[in-house]
mmCIF file of all heavy atoms in Angstrom:
data_model
loop_
_atom_site.group_PDB
_atom_site.id
_atom_site.type_symbol
_atom_site.label_atom_id
_atom_site.label_comp_id
_atom_site.label_asym_id
_atom_site.label_seq_id
_atom_site.Cartn_x
_atom_site.Cartn_y
_atom_site.Cartn_z
ATOM 1 N N PHE A 80 21.264 19.174 -7.432
ATOM 2 C CA PHE A 80 20.582 18.062 -6.767
ATOM 3 C C PHE A 80 20.782 16.741 -7.514
ATOM 4 O O PHE A 80 20.577 15.683 -6.964
ATOM 5 C CB PHE A 80 19.072 18.323 -6.663
ATOM 6 C CG PHE A 80 18.715 19.449 -5.754
ATOM 7 C CD1 PHE A 80 18.423 20.704 -6.261
ATOM 8 C CD2 PHE A 80 18.681 19.260 -4.374
ATOM 9 C CE1 PHE A 80 18.089 21.753 -5.416
ATOM 10 C CE2 PHE A 80 18.347 20.301 -3.524
ATOM 11 C CZ PHE A 80 18.052 21.556 -4.048
ATOM 12 N N ASN A 81 21.153 16.851 -8.796
ATOM 13 C CA ASN A 81 21.139 15.642 -9.625
ATOM 14 C C ASN A 81 22.249 14.646 -9.296
ATOM 15 O O ASN A 81 22.241 13.531 -9.793
ATOM 16 C CB ASN A 81 21.142 16.001 -11.116
ATOM 17 C CG ASN A 81 22.317 16.877 -11.480
ATOM 18 O OD1 ASN A 81 23.220 17.080 -10.663
ATOM 19 N ND2 ASN A 81 22.328 17.396 -12.690
ATOM 20 N N TRP A 82 23.192 15.020 -8.432
ATOM 21 C CA TRP A 82 24.216 14.052 -8.017
ATOM 22 C C TRP A 82 23.614 12.964 -7.127
ATOM 23 O O TRP A 82 24.146 11.870 -7.026
ATOM 24 C CB TRP A 82 25.365 14.761 -7.290
ATOM 25 C CG TRP A 82 24.908 15.494 -6.056
ATOM 26 C CD1 TRP A 82 24.433 16.770 -5.992
ATOM 27 C CD2 TRP A 82 24.843 14.976 -4.727
ATOM 28 N NE1 TRP A 82 24.082 17.080 -4.712
ATOM 29 C CE2 TRP A 82 24.319 16.013 -3.910
ATOM 30 C CE3 TRP A 82 25.175 13.745 -4.147
ATOM 31 C CZ2 TRP A 82 24.122 15.834 -2.534
ATOM 32 C CZ3 TRP A 82 24.982 13.579 -2.778
ATOM 33 C CH2 TRP A 82 24.459 14.608 -1.983
ATOM 34 N N VAL A 83 22.464 13.260 -6.473
ATOM 35 C CA VAL A 83 21.878 12.264 -5.565
ATOM 36 C C VAL A 83 21.416 11.011 -6.333
ATOM 37 O O VAL A 83 21.848 9.896 -6.021
ATOM 38 C CB VAL A 83 20.712 12.866 -4.736
ATOM 39 C CG1 VAL A 83 20.209 11.856 -3.726
ATOM 40 C CG2 VAL A 83 21.141 14.157 -4.051
ATOM 41 N N PRO A 84 20.551 11.176 -7.369
ATOM 42 C CA PRO A 84 20.177 9.983 -8.139
ATOM 43 C C PRO A 84 21.347 9.335 -8.866
ATOM 44 O O PRO A 84 21.381 8.112 -9.028
ATOM 45 C CB PRO A 84 19.148 10.506 -9.154
ATOM 46 C CG PRO A 84 19.063 11.959 -8.992
ATOM 47 C CD PRO A 84 19.758 12.357 -7.749
ATOM 48 N N MET A 85 22.334 10.157 -9.274
ATOM 49 C CA MET A 85 23.507 9.602 -9.949
ATOM 50 C C MET A 85 24.264 8.662 -9.013
ATOM 51 O O MET A 85 24.647 7.557 -9.372
ATOM 52 C CB MET A 85 24.465 10.726 -10.387
ATOM 53 C CG MET A 85 23.850 11.725 -11.326
ATOM 54 S SD MET A 85 23.976 11.224 -13.023
ATOM 55 C CE MET A 85 25.524 12.033 -13.439
ATOM 56 N N MET A 86 24.441 9.112 -7.778
ATOM 57 C CA MET A 86 25.169 8.309 -6.808
ATOM 58 C C MET A 86 24.379 7.034 -6.498
ATOM 59 O O MET A 86 24.937 5.959 -6.375
ATOM 60 C CB MET A 86 25.358 9.114 -5.523
ATOM 61 C CG MET A 86 26.670 8.843 -4.838
ATOM 62 S SD MET A 86 26.986 10.062 -3.550
ATOM 63 C CE MET A 86 25.999 9.433 -2.224
ATOM 64 N N TRP A 87 23.050 7.191 -6.392
ATOM 65 C CA TRP A 87 22.177 6.051 -6.103
ATOM 66 C C TRP A 87 22.323 4.994 -7.187
ATOM 67 O O TRP A 87 22.463 3.810 -6.918
ATOM 68 C CB TRP A 87 20.725 6.527 -6.016
ATOM 69 C CG TRP A 87 19.762 5.408 -5.794
ATOM 70 C CD1 TRP A 87 19.117 4.694 -6.763
ATOM 71 C CD2 TRP A 87 19.374 4.845 -4.549
ATOM 72 N NE1 TRP A 87 18.332 3.722 -6.196
ATOM 73 C CE2 TRP A 87 18.470 3.794 -4.834
ATOM 74 C CE3 TRP A 87 19.693 5.130 -3.221
ATOM 75 C CZ2 TRP A 87 17.885 3.026 -3.830
ATOM 76 C CZ3 TRP A 87 19.101 4.358 -2.225
ATOM 77 C CH2 TRP A 87 18.211 3.324 -2.537
ATOM 78 N N ARG A 88 22.316 5.455 -8.446
ATOM 79 C CA ARG A 88 22.376 4.528 -9.576
ATOM 80 C C ARG A 88 23.667 3.698 -9.523
ATOM 81 O O ARG A 88 23.682 2.546 -9.924
ATOM 82 C CB ARG A 88 22.316 5.310 -10.890
ATOM 83 C CG ARG A 88 21.846 4.483 -12.064
ATOM 84 C CD ARG A 88 21.617 5.362 -13.287
ATOM 85 N NE ARG A 88 20.717 6.477 -12.967
ATOM 86 C CZ ARG A 88 20.778 7.673 -13.543
ATOM 87 N NH1 ARG A 88 21.709 7.950 -14.430
ATOM 88 N NH2 ARG A 88 19.926 8.612 -13.208
ATOM 89 N N GLY A 89 24.736 4.286 -8.995
ATOM 90 C CA GLY A 89 26.007 3.583 -8.932
ATOM 91 C C GLY A 89 26.042 2.490 -7.879
ATOM 92 O O GLY A 89 26.922 1.631 -7.913
ATOM 93 N N THR A 90 25.085 2.495 -6.949
ATOM 94 C CA THR A 90 25.210 1.586 -5.808
ATOM 95 C C THR A 90 24.205 0.428 -5.807
ATOM 96 O O THR A 90 24.339 -0.487 -5.017
ATOM 97 C CB THR A 90 25.028 2.355 -4.475
ATOM 98 O OG1 THR A 90 23.785 3.059 -4.536
ATOM 99 C CG2 THR A 90 26.161 3.321 -4.239
ATOM 100 N N VAL A 91 23.160 0.490 -6.653
ATOM 101 C CA VAL A 91 22.142 -0.571 -6.595
ATOM 102 C C VAL A 91 22.113 -1.392 -7.888
ATOM 103 O O VAL A 91 22.470 -0.889 -8.941
ATOM 104 C CB VAL A 91 20.724 0.010 -6.344
ATOM 105 C CG1 VAL A 91 20.664 0.689 -4.998
ATOM 106 C CG2 VAL A 91 20.318 0.959 -7.456
ATOM 107 N N PRO A 92 21.708 -2.676 -7.779
ATOM 108 C CA PRO A 92 21.602 -3.499 -8.981
ATOM 109 C C PRO A 92 20.450 -2.998 -9.864
ATOM 110 O O PRO A 92 19.435 -2.559 -9.346
ATOM 111 C CB PRO A 92 21.278 -4.891 -8.432
ATOM 112 C CG PRO A 92 20.711 -4.667 -7.078
ATOM 113 C CD PRO A 92 21.306 -3.396 -6.563
ATOM 114 N N HIS A 93 20.613 -3.016 -11.182
ATOM 115 C CA HIS A 93 19.510 -2.586 -12.042
ATOM 116 C C HIS A 93 19.290 -3.588 -13.162
ATOM 117 O O HIS A 93 18.976 -3.236 -14.278
ATOM 118 C CB HIS A 93 19.745 -1.181 -12.590
ATOM 119 C CG HIS A 93 21.167 -0.901 -12.958
ATOM 120 N ND1 HIS A 93 21.757 -1.403 -14.070
ATOM 121 C CD2 HIS A 93 22.109 -0.183 -12.305
ATOM 122 C CE1 HIS A 93 23.018 -0.996 -14.102
ATOM 123 N NE2 HIS A 93 23.249 -0.271 -13.043
ATOM 124 N N TRP A 94 19.471 -4.865 -12.854
ATOM 125 C CA TRP A 94 19.287 -5.891 -13.869
ATOM 126 C C TRP A 94 18.292 -6.956 -13.428
ATOM 127 O O TRP A 94 18.015 -7.892 -14.136
ATOM 128 C CB TRP A 94 20.624 -6.578 -14.170
ATOM 129 C CG TRP A 94 21.359 -6.944 -12.904
ATOM 130 C CD1 TRP A 94 22.282 -6.198 -12.253
ATOM 131 C CD2 TRP A 94 21.167 -8.137 -12.124
ATOM 132 N NE1 TRP A 94 22.682 -6.840 -11.113
ATOM 133 C CE2 TRP A 94 22.034 -8.035 -11.005
ATOM 134 C CE3 TRP A 94 20.369 -9.286 -12.267
ATOM 135 C CZ2 TRP A 94 22.092 -9.030 -10.034
ATOM 136 C CZ3 TRP A 94 20.443 -10.269 -11.288
ATOM 137 C CH2 TRP A 94 21.299 -10.129 -10.193
ATOM 138 N N VAL A 95 17.743 -6.811 -12.194
ATOM 139 C CA VAL A 95 16.849 -7.846 -11.676
ATOM 140 C C VAL A 95 15.489 -7.772 -12.377
ATOM 141 O O VAL A 95 14.889 -6.711 -12.428
ATOM 142 C CB VAL A 95 16.649 -7.672 -10.148
ATOM 143 C CG1 VAL A 95 15.902 -8.863 -9.567
ATOM 144 C CG2 VAL A 95 17.986 -7.465 -9.454
ATOM 145 N N PRO A 96 14.999 -8.889 -12.938
ATOM 146 C CA PRO A 96 13.719 -8.836 -13.640
ATOM 147 C C PRO A 96 12.560 -8.499 -12.713
ATOM 148 O O PRO A 96 12.556 -8.920 -11.561
ATOM 149 C CB PRO A 96 13.557 -10.259 -14.211
ATOM 150 C CG PRO A 96 14.524 -11.107 -13.465
ATOM 151 C CD PRO A 96 15.613 -10.212 -12.970
ATOM 152 N N PHE A 97 11.594 -7.740 -13.193
ATOM 153 C CA PHE A 97 10.366 -7.339 -12.483
ATOM 154 C C PHE A 97 10.611 -6.363 -11.333
ATOM 155 O O PHE A 97 9.688 -5.881 -10.713
ATOM 156 C CB PHE A 97 9.593 -8.549 -11.918
ATOM 157 C CG PHE A 97 9.196 -9.535 -12.960
ATOM 158 C CD1 PHE A 97 9.692 -10.829 -12.929
ATOM 159 C CD2 PHE A 97 8.321 -9.170 -13.978
ATOM 160 C CE1 PHE A 97 9.322 -11.752 -13.901
ATOM 161 C CE2 PHE A 97 7.952 -10.077 -14.947
ATOM 162 C CZ PHE A 97 8.455 -11.373 -14.910
ATOM 163 N N VAL A 98 11.864 -6.124 -11.009
ATOM 164 C CA VAL A 98 12.163 -5.299 -9.846
ATOM 165 C C VAL A 98 12.819 -4.010 -10.308
ATOM 166 O O VAL A 98 13.620 -4.024 -11.222
ATOM 167 C CB VAL A 98 13.104 -6.055 -8.882
ATOM 168 C CG1 VAL A 98 13.451 -5.192 -7.683
ATOM 169 C CG2 VAL A 98 12.470 -7.357 -8.435
ATOM 170 N N ASP A 99 12.426 -2.896 -9.698
ATOM 171 C CA ASP A 99 12.988 -1.610 -10.067
ATOM 172 C C ASP A 99 13.553 -0.922 -8.826
ATOM 173 O O ASP A 99 12.818 -0.507 -7.950
ATOM 174 C CB ASP A 99 11.881 -0.756 -10.712
ATOM 175 C CG ASP A 99 12.461 0.437 -11.440
ATOM 176 O OD1 ASP A 99 13.675 0.691 -11.292
ATOM 177 O OD2 ASP A 99 11.709 1.119 -12.150
ATOM 178 N N PHE A 100 14.884 -0.865 -8.749
ATOM 179 C CA PHE A 100 15.543 -0.254 -7.588
ATOM 180 C C PHE A 100 16.015 1.164 -7.882
ATOM 181 O O PHE A 100 16.982 1.619 -7.303
ATOM 182 C CB PHE A 100 16.752 -1.099 -7.159
ATOM 183 C CG PHE A 100 16.384 -2.355 -6.427
ATOM 184 C CD1 PHE A 100 16.815 -3.588 -6.883
ATOM 185 C CD2 PHE A 100 15.618 -2.288 -5.273
ATOM 186 C CE1 PHE A 100 16.487 -4.748 -6.202
ATOM 187 C CE2 PHE A 100 15.278 -3.447 -4.587
ATOM 188 C CZ PHE A 100 15.715 -4.678 -5.057
ATOM 189 N N GLY A 101 15.337 1.842 -8.809
ATOM 190 C CA GLY A 101 15.751 3.206 -9.165
ATOM 191 C C GLY A 101 15.643 4.173 -7.998
ATOM 192 O O GLY A 101 15.003 3.873 -6.983
ATOM 193 N N PHE A 102 16.234 5.332 -8.168
ATOM 194 C CA PHE A 102 16.199 6.358 -7.127
ATOM 195 C C PHE A 102 14.765 6.737 -6.789
ATOM 196 O O PHE A 102 14.386 6.878 -5.627
ATOM 197 C CB PHE A 102 16.969 7.593 -7.594
ATOM 198 C CG PHE A 102 16.887 8.737 -6.628
ATOM 199 C CD1 PHE A 102 17.534 8.677 -5.399
ATOM 200 C CD2 PHE A 102 16.138 9.865 -6.933
ATOM 201 C CE1 PHE A 102 17.437 9.734 -4.501
ATOM 202 C CE2 PHE A 102 16.041 10.922 -6.031
ATOM 203 C CZ PHE A 102 16.692 10.853 -4.820
ATOM 204 N N LYS A 103 13.929 6.879 -7.845
ATOM 205 C CA LYS A 103 12.538 7.267 -7.598
ATOM 206 C C LYS A 103 11.817 6.218 -6.750
ATOM 207 O O LYS A 103 11.016 6.564 -5.885
ATOM 208 C CB LYS A 103 11.792 7.527 -8.915
ATOM 209 C CG LYS A 103 11.594 6.313 -9.805
ATOM 210 C CD LYS A 103 10.765 6.715 -11.023
ATOM 211 C CE LYS A 103 10.446 5.649 -12.039
ATOM 212 N NZ LYS A 103 10.865 4.288 -11.896
ATOM 213 N N ASN A 104 12.160 4.942 -6.966
ATOM 214 C CA ASN A 104 11.526 3.876 -6.174
ATOM 215 C C ASN A 104 11.892 4.000 -4.697
ATOM 216 O O ASN A 104 11.064 3.762 -3.820
ATOM 217 C CB ASN A 104 11.952 2.508 -6.693
ATOM 218 C CG ASN A 104 11.616 2.344 -8.166
ATOM 219 O OD1 ASN A 104 12.410 2.753 -9.017
ATOM 220 N ND2 ASN A 104 10.454 1.814 -8.481
ATOM 221 N N ALA A 105 13.146 4.375 -4.433
ATOM 222 C CA ALA A 105 13.585 4.555 -3.054
ATOM 223 C C ALA A 105 12.825 5.717 -2.411
ATOM 224 O O ALA A 105 12.436 5.644 -1.240
ATOM 225 C CB ALA A 105 15.087 4.815 -3.012
ATOM 226 N N VAL A 106 12.569 6.769 -3.197
ATOM 227 C CA VAL A 106 11.796 7.908 -2.684
ATOM 228 C C VAL A 106 10.361 7.465 -2.387
ATOM 229 O O VAL A 106 9.806 7.799 -1.335
ATOM 230 C CB VAL A 106 11.811 9.084 -3.696
ATOM 231 C CG1 VAL A 106 10.844 10.191 -3.275
ATOM 232 C CG2 VAL A 106 13.228 9.636 -3.834
ATOM 233 N N TYR A 107 9.758 6.680 -3.308
ATOM 234 C CA TYR A 107 8.395 6.150 -3.065
ATOM 235 C C TYR A 107 8.365 5.381 -1.755
ATOM 236 O O TYR A 107 7.463 5.537 -0.943
ATOM 237 C CB TYR A 107 7.954 5.161 -4.166
ATOM 238 C CG TYR A 107 7.880 5.686 -5.568
ATOM 239 C CD1 TYR A 107 7.814 4.807 -6.648
ATOM 240 C CD2 TYR A 107 7.869 7.054 -5.837
ATOM 241 C CE1 TYR A 107 7.741 5.262 -7.950
ATOM 242 C CE2 TYR A 107 7.797 7.516 -7.141
ATOM 243 C CZ TYR A 107 7.738 6.614 -8.198
ATOM 244 O OH TYR A 107 7.672 7.059 -9.481
ATOM 245 N N PHE A 108 9.374 4.517 -1.566
ATOM 246 C CA PHE A 108 9.417 3.650 -0.386
ATOM 247 C C PHE A 108 9.440 4.474 0.910
ATOM 248 O O PHE A 108 8.671 4.219 1.836
ATOM 249 C CB PHE A 108 10.638 2.727 -0.463
ATOM 250 C CG PHE A 108 10.837 1.898 0.772
ATOM 251 C CD1 PHE A 108 10.022 0.806 1.019
ATOM 252 C CD2 PHE A 108 11.816 2.214 1.698
ATOM 253 C CE1 PHE A 108 10.180 0.040 2.170
ATOM 254 C CE2 PHE A 108 11.985 1.467 2.845
ATOM 255 C CZ PHE A 108 11.158 0.374 3.079
ATOM 256 N N VAL A 109 10.313 5.462 0.949
ATOM 257 C CA VAL A 109 10.429 6.305 2.143
ATOM 258 C C VAL A 109 9.122 7.065 2.384
ATOM 259 O O VAL A 109 8.615 7.129 3.503
ATOM 260 C CB VAL A 109 11.617 7.294 1.994
ATOM 261 C CG1 VAL A 109 11.615 8.325 3.121
ATOM 262 C CG2 VAL A 109 12.937 6.527 1.970
ATOM 263 N N TYR A 110 8.550 7.589 1.304
ATOM 264 C CA TYR A 110 7.289 8.354 1.394
ATOM 265 C C TYR A 110 6.161 7.511 1.991
ATOM 266 O O TYR A 110 5.522 7.916 2.962
ATOM 267 C CB TYR A 110 6.930 8.840 -0.011
ATOM 268 C CG TYR A 110 5.527 9.379 -0.191
ATOM 269 C CD1 TYR A 110 5.191 10.682 0.169
ATOM 270 C CD2 TYR A 110 4.527 8.581 -0.763
ATOM 271 C CE1 TYR A 110 3.905 11.176 -0.017
ATOM 272 C CE2 TYR A 110 3.244 9.066 -0.950
ATOM 273 C CZ TYR A 110 2.944 10.362 -0.568
ATOM 274 O OH TYR A 110 1.657 10.825 -0.756
ATOM 275 N N TRP A 111 5.937 6.316 1.411
ATOM 276 C CA TRP A 111 4.832 5.479 1.898
ATOM 277 C C TRP A 111 5.096 4.953 3.309
ATOM 278 O O TRP A 111 4.195 4.894 4.135
ATOM 279 C CB TRP A 111 4.567 4.324 0.933
ATOM 280 C CG TRP A 111 3.711 4.728 -0.224
ATOM 281 C CD1 TRP A 111 2.574 5.468 -0.186
ATOM 282 C CD2 TRP A 111 3.940 4.402 -1.606
ATOM 283 N NE1 TRP A 111 2.071 5.612 -1.469
ATOM 284 C CE2 TRP A 111 2.877 4.984 -2.350
ATOM 285 C CE3 TRP A 111 4.928 3.675 -2.276
ATOM 286 C CZ2 TRP A 111 2.776 4.851 -3.736
ATOM 287 C CZ3 TRP A 111 4.830 3.549 -3.652
ATOM 288 C CH2 TRP A 111 3.762 4.131 -4.375
ATOM 289 N N THR A 112 6.349 4.572 3.569
ATOM 290 C CA THR A 112 6.670 4.035 4.893
ATOM 291 C C THR A 112 6.427 5.084 5.967
ATOM 292 O O THR A 112 5.791 4.814 6.992
ATOM 293 C CB THR A 112 8.131 3.551 4.939
ATOM 294 O OG1 THR A 112 8.301 2.520 3.979
ATOM 295 C CG2 THR A 112 8.487 3.019 6.315
ATOM 296 N N LEU A 113 6.906 6.308 5.734
ATOM 297 C CA LEU A 113 6.760 7.361 6.746
ATOM 298 C C LEU A 113 5.302 7.771 6.915
ATOM 299 O O LEU A 113 4.796 7.821 8.034
ATOM 300 C CB LEU A 113 7.600 8.586 6.362
ATOM 301 C CG LEU A 113 9.114 8.419 6.504
ATOM 302 C CD1 LEU A 113 9.824 9.716 6.145
ATOM 303 C CD2 LEU A 113 9.483 7.991 7.925
ATOM 304 N N LEU A 114 4.608 8.049 5.813
ATOM 305 C CA LEU A 114 3.237 8.547 5.931
ATOM 306 C C LEU A 114 2.275 7.462 6.410
ATOM 307 O O LEU A 114 1.488 7.689 7.320
ATOM 308 C CB LEU A 114 2.755 9.151 4.604
ATOM 309 C CG LEU A 114 2.912 10.681 4.586
ATOM 310 C CD1 LEU A 114 4.352 11.041 4.304
ATOM 311 C CD2 LEU A 114 1.976 11.327 3.598
ATOM 312 N N GLU A 115 2.343 6.286 5.782
ATOM 313 C CA GLU A 115 1.391 5.242 6.156
ATOM 314 C C GLU A 115 1.755 4.627 7.506
ATOM 315 O O GLU A 115 0.873 4.186 8.240
ATOM 316 C CB GLU A 115 1.296 4.200 5.034
ATOM 317 C CG GLU A 115 0.712 4.851 3.779
ATOM 318 C CD GLU A 115 0.528 3.915 2.596
ATOM 319 O OE1 GLU A 115 1.083 2.804 2.595
ATOM 320 O OE2 GLU A 115 -0.179 4.326 1.663
ATOM 321 N N GLY A 116 3.041 4.632 7.858
ATOM 322 C CA GLY A 116 3.462 4.150 9.173
ATOM 323 C C GLY A 116 3.022 5.094 10.282
ATOM 324 O O GLY A 116 2.822 4.694 11.420
ATOM 325 N N THR A 117 2.874 6.375 9.959
ATOM 326 C CA THR A 117 2.502 7.385 10.954
ATOM 327 C C THR A 117 0.994 7.622 10.988
ATOM 328 O O THR A 117 0.371 7.614 12.045
ATOM 329 C CB THR A 117 3.214 8.725 10.649
ATOM 330 O OG1 THR A 117 4.600 8.471 10.474
ATOM 331 C CG2 THR A 117 3.026 9.703 11.788
ATOM 332 N N TYR A 118 0.405 7.831 9.797
ATOM 333 C CA TYR A 118 -1.022 8.201 9.732
ATOM 334 C C TYR A 118 -1.904 7.075 9.188
ATOM 335 O O TYR A 118 -3.126 7.203 9.180
ATOM 336 C CB TYR A 118 -1.210 9.425 8.829
ATOM 337 C CG TYR A 118 -0.342 10.600 9.199
ATOM 338 C CD1 TYR A 118 0.764 10.936 8.420
ATOM 339 C CD2 TYR A 118 -0.607 11.362 10.336
ATOM 340 C CE1 TYR A 118 1.582 12.011 8.754
ATOM 341 C CE2 TYR A 118 0.203 12.430 10.679
ATOM 342 C CZ TYR A 118 1.291 12.755 9.879
ATOM 343 O OH TYR A 118 2.105 13.810 10.228
ATOM 344 N N GLY A 119 -1.300 6.008 8.667
ATOM 345 C CA GLY A 119 -2.086 4.978 7.992
ATOM 346 C C GLY A 119 -2.494 5.409 6.592
ATOM 347 O O GLY A 119 -3.163 4.665 5.880
ATOM 348 N N GLN A 120 -2.113 6.615 6.205
ATOM 349 C CA GLN A 120 -2.554 7.150 4.918
ATOM 350 C C GLN A 120 -1.442 7.950 4.248
ATOM 351 O O GLN A 120 -0.720 8.691 4.906
ATOM 352 C CB GLN A 120 -3.731 8.114 5.111
ATOM 353 C CG GLN A 120 -5.000 7.477 5.618
ATOM 354 C CD GLN A 120 -6.069 8.529 5.882
ATOM 355 O OE1 GLN A 120 -5.899 9.402 6.723
ATOM 356 N NE2 GLN A 120 -7.155 8.457 5.146
#
Side-chain angles (χ1 to χ4, degrees):
F80 293 99
N81 56 9
W82 60 273
V83 185
M85 301 273 268
M86 215 168 80
W87 177 269
R88 202 172 307 149
T90 54
V91 297
H93 38 75
W94 46 268
V95 189
F97 302 117
V98 179
D99 195 351
F100 284 124
F102 175 70
K103 66 176 180 1
N104 303 86
V106 171
Y107 299 164
F108 174 75
V109 171
Y110 167 81
W111 278 315
T112 299
L113 288 182
L114 263 79
E115 295 182 345
T117 309
Y118 307 106
Q120 294 175 298

